[in-house]
Amino acid sequence: MADQAEQVSTSGLVDTKQAGATKRRQYSEALKRQMAAETQAPGASVSIVARRHDVNSNQLFRWRRQLLPKAVVEGGAMVPVEIAPDGGRPDGGRPRRADGEGVIEIAFGCGARVRLRGEVSPETLRQVIELLR
Protein backbone atom coordinates (compact mmCIF):
# COMPACT_ATOMS: atom_id res chain seq x y z
CA MET A 1 0.00 0.00 0.00
CA ALA A 2 2.92 2.30 0.63
CA ASP A 3 3.88 1.87 -3.01
CA GLN A 4 0.56 3.34 -4.12
CA ALA A 5 0.88 6.59 -2.13
CA GLU A 6 0.09 9.75 -4.07
CA GLN A 7 3.07 11.61 -5.34
CA VAL A 8 3.02 15.38 -5.67
CA SER A 9 5.46 17.15 -7.92
CA THR A 10 7.42 19.87 -6.16
CA SER A 11 9.48 20.83 -9.18
CA GLY A 12 6.99 23.39 -10.47
CA LEU A 13 6.84 26.67 -8.59
CA VAL A 14 3.67 28.71 -8.26
CA ASP A 15 4.01 32.46 -8.64
CA THR A 16 1.61 34.12 -6.18
CA LYS A 17 2.48 37.66 -7.24
CA GLN A 18 0.34 39.43 -9.77
CA ALA A 19 1.81 40.09 -13.15
CA GLY A 20 3.31 43.57 -13.39
CA ALA A 21 4.25 45.93 -10.62
CA THR A 22 1.49 47.04 -8.28
CA LYS A 23 0.95 50.78 -8.19
CA ARG A 24 -0.41 52.90 -5.42
CA ARG A 25 -3.65 54.57 -6.26
CA GLN A 26 -3.46 58.30 -6.75
CA TYR A 27 -6.30 60.49 -5.48
CA SER A 28 -6.80 64.06 -6.59
CA GLU A 29 -6.78 66.82 -3.98
CA ALA A 30 -10.41 67.57 -4.86
CA LEU A 31 -11.49 63.97 -4.20
CA LYS A 32 -9.60 63.89 -0.89
CA ARG A 33 -11.33 67.11 0.18
CA GLN A 34 -14.71 65.74 -0.92
CA MET A 35 -14.24 62.56 1.14
CA ALA A 36 -13.05 64.55 4.17
CA ALA A 37 -16.07 66.85 3.84
CA GLU A 38 -18.44 63.87 3.66
CA THR A 39 -17.22 62.79 7.11
CA GLN A 40 -18.47 66.09 8.51
CA ALA A 41 -22.13 65.47 7.66
CA PRO A 42 -24.36 64.88 10.70
CA GLY A 43 -24.34 61.19 11.60
CA ALA A 44 -21.56 60.39 9.12
CA SER A 45 -19.08 57.62 9.89
CA VAL A 46 -15.50 57.86 8.64
CA SER A 47 -15.43 54.10 8.22
CA ILE A 48 -18.57 54.06 6.06
CA VAL A 49 -17.37 56.97 3.92
CA ALA A 50 -14.02 55.20 3.43
CA ARG A 51 -15.71 51.95 2.39
CA ARG A 52 -17.99 53.79 -0.03
CA HIS A 53 -14.89 55.19 -1.79
CA ASP A 54 -12.83 51.99 -1.42
CA VAL A 55 -10.24 53.72 0.78
CA ASN A 56 -8.69 52.52 4.03
CA SER A 57 -10.29 54.39 6.94
CA ASN A 58 -6.86 55.19 8.43
CA GLN A 59 -5.97 56.94 5.17
CA LEU A 60 -9.17 58.98 5.35
CA PHE A 61 -8.43 59.95 8.96
CA ARG A 62 -4.99 61.14 7.82
CA TRP A 63 -6.51 63.25 5.03
CA ARG A 64 -8.97 64.74 7.54
CA ARG A 65 -6.06 65.82 9.77
CA GLN A 66 -4.22 67.27 6.77
CA LEU A 67 -7.12 68.99 5.03
CA LEU A 68 -9.64 70.04 7.67
CA PRO A 69 -9.10 72.82 10.23
CA LYS A 70 -7.64 71.54 13.48
CA ALA A 71 -10.71 72.62 15.49
CA VAL A 72 -12.99 70.53 13.26
CA VAL A 73 -10.85 67.39 13.54
CA GLU A 74 -10.26 67.63 17.29
CA GLY A 75 -13.57 69.17 18.30
CA GLY A 76 -16.09 66.81 19.78
CA ALA A 77 -19.78 67.02 19.29
CA MET A 78 -21.84 68.39 22.15
CA VAL A 79 -24.40 66.04 23.59
CA PRO A 80 -27.34 66.87 25.83
CA VAL A 81 -26.82 66.28 29.54
CA GLU A 82 -29.62 65.64 31.97
CA ILE A 83 -29.38 65.88 35.75
CA ALA A 84 -31.51 63.12 37.24
CA PRO A 85 -34.33 64.43 39.43
CA ASP A 86 -33.82 64.07 43.16
CA GLY A 87 -37.36 62.95 43.89
CA GLY A 88 -38.07 65.98 46.12
CA ARG A 89 -36.05 64.71 49.08
CA PRO A 90 -33.19 66.83 50.38
CA ASP A 91 -30.86 63.82 50.23
CA GLY A 92 -31.79 63.08 46.61
CA GLY A 93 -34.07 60.18 47.52
CA ARG A 94 -31.12 57.88 47.92
CA PRO A 95 -29.31 56.83 51.06
CA ARG A 96 -26.08 58.74 51.61
CA ARG A 97 -23.00 56.64 50.99
CA ALA A 98 -20.83 56.40 54.07
CA ASP A 99 -17.59 56.35 52.08
CA GLY A 100 -18.42 59.58 50.23
CA GLU A 101 -17.76 58.01 46.84
CA GLY A 102 -20.00 59.03 43.96
CA VAL A 103 -21.28 57.40 40.81
CA ILE A 104 -21.14 58.78 37.28
CA GLU A 105 -23.68 57.20 34.96
CA ILE A 106 -23.77 57.78 31.21
CA ALA A 107 -26.95 56.60 29.45
CA PHE A 108 -27.08 56.17 25.68
CA GLY A 109 -30.14 56.50 23.47
CA CYS A 110 -29.95 52.80 22.61
CA GLY A 111 -30.50 51.94 26.28
CA ALA A 112 -26.89 51.08 27.13
CA ARG A 113 -25.45 52.53 30.35
CA VAL A 114 -21.92 53.03 31.67
CA ARG A 115 -21.41 53.52 35.41
CA LEU A 116 -18.19 54.74 36.98
CA ARG A 117 -18.13 54.18 40.73
CA GLY A 118 -15.82 55.64 43.28
CA GLU A 119 -13.43 58.51 42.90
CA VAL A 120 -12.91 59.14 39.18
CA SER A 121 -10.01 61.27 38.02
CA PRO A 122 -10.66 63.84 35.28
CA GLU A 123 -8.21 61.96 33.04
CA THR A 124 -10.08 58.67 33.47
CA LEU A 125 -13.40 60.35 32.72
CA ARG A 126 -11.92 62.00 29.62
CA GLN A 127 -10.62 58.64 28.38
CA VAL A 128 -14.00 56.96 28.91
CA ILE A 129 -15.79 59.71 27.00
CA GLU A 130 -13.22 59.59 24.16
CA LEU A 131 -13.62 55.81 23.85
CA LEU A 132 -17.41 56.10 23.72
CA ARG A 133 -17.50 58.68 20.94
Side-chain angles (χ1 to χ4, degrees), residues 20-105:
T22 57
K23 289 186 174 181
R24 290 185 179 204
R25 291 184 283 180
Q26 299 291 319
Y27 297 94
S28 68
E29 186 79 12
L31 183 57
K32 291 178 188 179
R33 288 187 183 282
Q34 176 193 337
M35 286 189 261
E38 285 180 30
T39 66
Q40 296 300 298
S45 163
V46 172
S47 178
I48 291 172
V49 172
R51 277 186 262 156
R52 186 170 45 238
H53 291 281
D54 196 27
V55 175
N56 185 291
S57 57
N58 290 326
Q59 181 67 61
L60 186 49
F61 275 111
R62 182 176 298 125
W63 291 340
R64 282 171 39 98
R65 283 191 304 272
Q66 293 170 349
L67 301 171
L68 296 176
K70 189 174 184 178
V72 171
V73 176
E74 293 178 355
M78 300 299 278
V79 295
V81 174
E82 179 181 313
I83 306 295
D86 65 3
R89 292 180 45 184
D91 65 355
R94 293 179 283 278
R96 180 67 90 180
R97 293 176 61 116
D99 57 9
E101 292 182 346
V103 176
I104 297 173
E105 181 175 305

